Amino acid sequence: MQNGTKGFVITIDGAAGTGKSSVARELAHRLGTDCLDTGAMYRAVAVLAIDFGLDPRGGEALALAIREKGIRFDWNDDPPTILLGGEDIARRVRDLDVSGVVSIVAQQPEIREVLVEQQRAIRELHPLLVTEGRDQGSVVFPDANVRFFLEAEVAERTRRRVKQLRDAGNTVQDKEIQLDIESRDKLDSSRADGPLICPDGAIIINTSSLSKEEVVSTMESEVHSRLQA
Ligand code: DC
């Protein structure tokens, strides 16, 4: 799908477990755009902190380490593979120890500054882009062509996350995952820099009782009507 010569950017924000990643990928497939998973970038910084023994609260040192090591995507893969210092960390970023420190890392303004800059640079190279995260429509691309904000009940988000983790071979308890989701919501919504908020003018979709196909179809028709308007 084309939109003149300029391209377009579509943002999808929302809390953990609202289904952002899977609907973003499917929407990007249907529209023929690239898809950016910005959560993977914050997770890559958490990997950098853990695996290289850096303090996850040390924003300045970590920001420097990101620039030195380099966090990139291999866009030849679908979904694009996240690389740290050229090394494939796609599986590593989903590990539980990484999920445990990523919210701390995501609170550091110095880290957000570097990643926001990199996300805007990616947009320049990928002019047809669906991007998902917490701050994409509010901070990174306030001029996005279409902004979505996904919501879902905590119980449903817990169910989805538990399934995802068990499918990946992890042994987890429902209660542990629910507490993790609630504590991440709190941290994500209360941080001073780039908090999780519903961007102005965003289309809100509650995904609790909708299938992935239903969510993507709703989004696809919104995109078509907004881009044609
Ligand atoms: O979507 P996810 O679970 O992979 O995100 C991992 C963490 O990164 C989560 O704690 C929220 C944070 N994050 C963020 O602060 N800003 C973004 N644009 C994307 C993710």
Side-chain angles (χ1 to χ4, degrees), residues 13 16 20-21 37-40 42-43 94 102-103 106 112 119 132-136 161 184 188 191 194:
D13 291 305
K20 285 187 312 290
S21 304
D37 171 2
T38 61
Y42 286 92
R43 287 170 178 274
R94 300 291 147 200
V102 68
S103 283
R112 300 201 72 84
Q119 288 155 17
E132 56 106 346
R134 305 293 190 286
D135 58 351
Q136 297 299 285
R161 201 57 132 192
R184 285 215 276 151
D188 285 347
R191 67 171 168 250

Side-chain angles (χ1 to χ4, degrees), residues 45 51 88 111 120 141 176 207:
V45 181
D51 293 357
D88 177 347
I111 293 170
R120 290 183 178 144
F141 303 111
E176 164 199 23
T207 68

Side-chain angles (χ1 to χ4, degrees), residues 21 25 35-41 73 75 82 94 130-132:
S21 304
R25 271 206 297 277
C35 184
L36 175 61
D37 171 2
T38 61
M41 299 173 80
F73 287 95
W75 293 92
I82 182 99
R94 300 291 147 200
V130 170
T131 177
E132 56 106 346

Side-chain angles (χ1 to χ4, degrees), residues 8-9 11 24 30 66 98 118 165-166 178 209 224 226:
F8 58 83
V9 60
T11 59
R30 291 200 198 175
I66 297 168
V98 173
Q118 293 188 355
L165 288 165
R166 288 194 182 140
Q178 182 178 329
S209 56
H224 283 294
R226 301 238 170 170

Side-chain angles (χ1 to χ4, degrees), residues 76-179:
N76 294 315
D77 296 335
D78 183 18
T81 303
I82 182 99
L83 308 171
L84 175 64
E87 193 185 321
D88 177 347
I89 54 162
R91 288 178 73 91
R92 177 78 183 100
V93 292
R94 300 291 147 200
D95 287 344
L96 285 177
D97 62 334
V98 173
S99 301
V101 301
V102 68
S103 283
I104 300 171
V105 155
Q107 283 180 73
Q108 314 301 317
E110 298 89 348
I111 293 170
R112 300 201 72 84
E113 193 184 326
V114 176
L115 295 190
V116 166
E117 180 190 307
Q118 293 188 355
Q119 288 155 17
R120 290 183 178 144
I122 288 171
R123 192 256 189 273
E124 292 304 307
L125 296 172
H126 300 265
L128 299 179
L129 190 67
V130 170
T131 177
E132 56 106 346
R134 305 293 190 286
D135 58 351
Q136 297 299 285
S138 52
V139 172
V140 187
F141 303 111
D143 58 341
N145 300 74
V146 189
R147 285 171 292 255
F148 291 103
F149 189 76
L150 301 191
E151 296 177 334
E153 317 313 331
V154 170
E156 177 58 20
R157 292 161 55 203
T158 302
R159 198 191 60 73
R160 291 176 187 165
R161 201 57 132 192
V162 165
K163 181 174 182 319
Q164 197 181 44
L165 288 165
R166 288 194 182 140
D167 287 352
N170 296 291
T171 307
V172 289
Q173 302 300 320
D174 291 15
K175 196 69 202 163
E176 164 199 23
I177 299 305
Q178 182 178 329
L179 289 175

